[in-house]
Amino acid sequence: MSSAAVTPAARLRGLKPDWLNNPKVWRTEVLAGLVVALALIPEAISFSIIAGVDPAIGLFASFTMAVTIAVVGGRRAMISAATGAVALVIAPLNREHGFGHLVAAVILAGVFQIVLGALGVARLMRFIPRSVMVGFVNALAVLIFMAQIPEMRNVPWAVYPLITAGLALMVFFPKVTTVIPAPLVSIVVLTVITVAAGIAVPTVGDKGALPSSLPVPGLPDVPFTLDTLTTIAPYAFAMALVGLMESLMTAKLVDDITDTHSDKTRESVGQGVANIVTGFFGGMGGCAMIGQTMINVKVSGARTRLSTFLAGAFLMVLCIVFGPVVSDIPMAALVAVMVMVSFATFDWHSVAPKTLRRMPAGEITVMVVTVACVVATHNLAIGVVAGSITAMVVFAKRVAHLAEVTAVTDPDGTTVVYRVTGELFFASSNDLVGRFDYAGDPAKVVIDLSSAHIWDASSVAALDAIEAKYEQRGKTVEITGLNDPSARLHDKLSGELAAGH
């Protein structure tokens, strides 16, 4: 069919989101949103406790973050809500200065995120090595599982068979049908069993009271002074960095799972907008939630913005309209869901003996450092930074040995040509000075750099030192073969790096 023959109705259908054109997609997105909303409730309440605020504050934040990011975010199907990482950053501010300062910090953090997003901070993601990404994913899986352990300690014995039953349902129910997400079936079945049989186990209601009305917008209750700004700015900037790093890493993970591309710059700005909206509604702020995103994308199969929007909308409906029913959901059901998520998230191939035997030791070290730092600090951002720094050190050490120096003396014995091959930077150039025979070489020395590249001032300083050592012995040095970038750097810095300049 030619483009001229396309009817207005067909063109309109092409502009509609996938979930409007396909009832199956619509059903998947709606049910995924419901499952995520149920899983968000105890998480949001727990993070509120960490931040030292009322449980309703965390639930409001999860609602506004999810609904806003569904519209302005750059990664479809990713869930943003109140998170533990953000709660840890802002808890001291709330404890020392009060809730008004916390809300003001959330708004300022949103502004910082918009600025950082506009400046292109998302482009830094390309410097995250694959081994760090694998370590990040595995550490995430470990943290998700560890977060469930407190729910399995000092509890009635009935909790353990309920968790086992929930896991069994999620493993075997998809073999019967995939129309309804297995986690939703597990939650409903275990709730019905505990209520009908009167089994006394911890429930969602035990975590805290659910809100009974929608949040109301307003300004933070703080004096609008420079003193307030200087108080909240460090916390706001830390929250902005942690939130962006966790969100961008999660977006990259979802990209890999779904084989689709996302707009990281839009996601960065969107996180800022969502935090500003959340702050004006009195929420505690947040970022992408990796565990809930895995429930949405990997377990439930969601792929559109509808599931993200409905996760937030269903969250408020469940709290306000169905609060008494939601309060009766056994924590065992949600623990089972999160244990399954942790199992599905972990990259088991990366720790298989066959993989470890083939993997370079440096790559394994980077992965282990990332996992260890995340698990030790419970902070994904710290683990990513530590893993990336380790990867840089490993890379520098590996590349440093690629610089080779070979010498050829002319038959008449008056000239020696040193051919340097490889990348010259701080790690490799440190060894360069010791590769020349200053005393034994003839009067003229040629250093051929046609197969090398100068990357930094350390390499220029090393070449200057080599020339100086030959000059002390009355010998001349000629450097040839520099490519254009290397020549420009050498001409700019040569002779300017010695002590006293």
Side-chain angles (χ1 to χ4, degrees):
M1 181 185 289
S2 66
S3 58
V6 177
T7 64
R11 189 177 296 111
L12 182 61
R13 282 196 301 273
L15 295 174
K16 289 181 180 179
D18 292 342
W19 55 270
L20 280 178
N21 295 328
N22 190 329
K24 184 178 179 182
V25 172
W26 183 86
R27 182 177 62 244
T28 299
E29 300 296 312
V30 171
L31 292 175
L34 180 56
V35 173
V36 172
L38 289 168
L40 276 173
I41 293 173
E43 293 274 300
I45 295 173
S46 297
F47 299 146
S48 299
I49 295 170
I50 291 173
V53 299
D54 188 82
I57 303 301
L59 292 165
F60 288 156
S62 296
F63 163 61
T64 53
M65 286 292 298
V67 169
T68 306
I69 206 69
V71 178
V72 300
R75 172 65 259 177
R76 293 182 296 172
M78 191 166 77
I79 305 297
S80 290
T83 59
V86 169
L88 287 170
V89 170
I90 59 176
L93 179 63
N94 180 61
R95 187 168 55 249
E96 295 170 15
H97 299 279
F99 180 66
H101 282 73
L102 182 151
V103 172
V106 170
I107 296 172
L108 183 58
V111 174
F112 282 145
Q113 288 178 327
I114 291 175
V115 173
L116 290 170
L119 291 175
V121 70
R123 289 194 290 270
L124 297 176
M125 285 299 296
R126 68 179 185 271
F127 294 108
I128 304 294
R130 182 187 177 279
S131 50
V132 173
M133 193 68 195
V134 173
F136 170 84
V137 170
N138 290 345
L140 162 67
V142 173
L143 284 187
I144 293 174
F145 181 80
M146 288 175 63
Q148 312 315 309
I149 293 177
E151 305 297 337
M152 294 185 273
R153 287 178 177 163
N154 303 317
V155 293
W157 67 268
V159 167
Y160 304 110
L162 285 173
I163 292 175
T164 304
L167 291 170
L169 277 169
M170 284 183 283
V171 170
F172 295 109
F173 187 80
K175 300 181 186 299
V176 178
T177 179
T178 56
V179 173
I180 304 175
L184 180 60
V185 174
S186 177
I187 292 170
V188 171
V189 170
L190 294 188
T191 302
V192 170
I193 290 173
T194 54
V195 173
I199 302 174
V201 291
T203 63
V204 170
D206 296 332
K207 288 287 183 181
L210 302 181
S212 57
S213 61
L214 289 171
V216 178
L219 294 174
D221 183 18
V222 294
F224 292 89
T225 63
L226 183 61
D227 183 57
T228 299
L229 180 62
T230 55
T231 299
I232 66 174
Y235 295 95
F237 191 66
M239 174 184 163
L241 290 179
V242 169
L244 280 182
M245 184 172 291
E246 196 152 332
S247 299
L248 293 174
M249 290 292 286
T250 305
K252 189 173 187 302
L253 179 60
V254 177
D255 289 352
D256 294 340
I257 292 172
T258 61
D259 290 326
T260 57
H261 175 73
S262 61
D263 188 337
K264 305 298 189 304
T265 297
R266 178 178 172 180
E267 182 61 38
S268 301
V269 174
Q271 287 291 328
V273 173
N275 272 306
I276 291 173
V277 171
T278 298
F280 281 121
F281 276 92
M284 57 181 276
C287 61
M289 289 196 80
I290 307 174
Q292 272 62 26
T293 298
M294 289 301 99
I295 294 176
N296 196 46
V297 174
K298 203 164 187 178
V299 179
S300 301
R303 292 293 183 270
T304 76
R305 297 178 185 274
L306 179 64
S307 58
T308 305
F309 180 87
L310 288 180
F314 282 150
L315 175 63
M316 279 294 99
V317 171
L318 288 169
C319 291
I320 296 171
V321 181
F322 300 102
V325 176
V326 173
S327 296
D328 287 333
I329 295 175
M331 285 301 300
L334 298 175
V335 169
V337 171
M338 298 310 292
V339 169
M340 181 60 72
V341 168
S342 69
F343 184 86
T345 302
F346 196 91
D347 186 350
W348 296 101
H349 175 73
S350 67
V351 296
K354 184 178 179 181
T355 304
L356 294 176
R357 282 195 298 269
R358 294 182 177 181
M359 191 76 68
E363 301 288 316
I364 297 174
T365 301
V366 170
M367 183 176 69
V368 171
V369 167
T370 304
V371 173
C373 288
V374 171
V375 173
T377 63
H378 285 228
N379 190 318
L380 292 162
I382 291 176
V384 170
V385 171
S388 298
I389 292 173
T390 304
M392 292 177 190
V393 173
V394 170
F395 173 77
K397 186 177 179 182
R398 185 181 303 158
V399 175
H401 296 296
L402 297 181
E404 295 292 336
V405 179
T406 55
V408 178
T409 305
D410 279 357
D412 59 6
T414 60
T415 304
V416 62
V417 178
Y418 283 95
R419 184 178 180 83
V420 181
T421 305
E423 309 299 320
L424 300 182
F425 65 112
F426 62 90
S428 58
S429 60
N430 286 336
D431 297 330
L432 193 64
V433 179
R435 307 289 285 276
F436 295 82
D437 184 5
Y438 303 101
D441 283 340
K444 184 177 180 181
V445 178
V446 177
I447 301 176
D448 180 9
L449 298 178
S450 56
S451 297
H453 187 97
I454 298 175
W455 287 104
D456 59 7
S458 297
S459 302
V460 177
L463 291 172
D464 284 353
I466 293 168
E467 288 188 83
K469 286 179 178 293
Y470 276 116
E471 288 174 359
Q472 289 170 3
R473 292 167 173 79
K475 302 174 182 180
T476 60
V477 177
E478 180 184 0
I479 296 177
T480 64
L482 287 170
N483 56 36
D484 289 342
S486 298
R488 284 195 295 270
L489 185 62
H490 184 265
D491 292 343
K492 181 179 179 180
L493 298 179
S494 182
E496 301 295 328
L497 300 172
H501 285 281

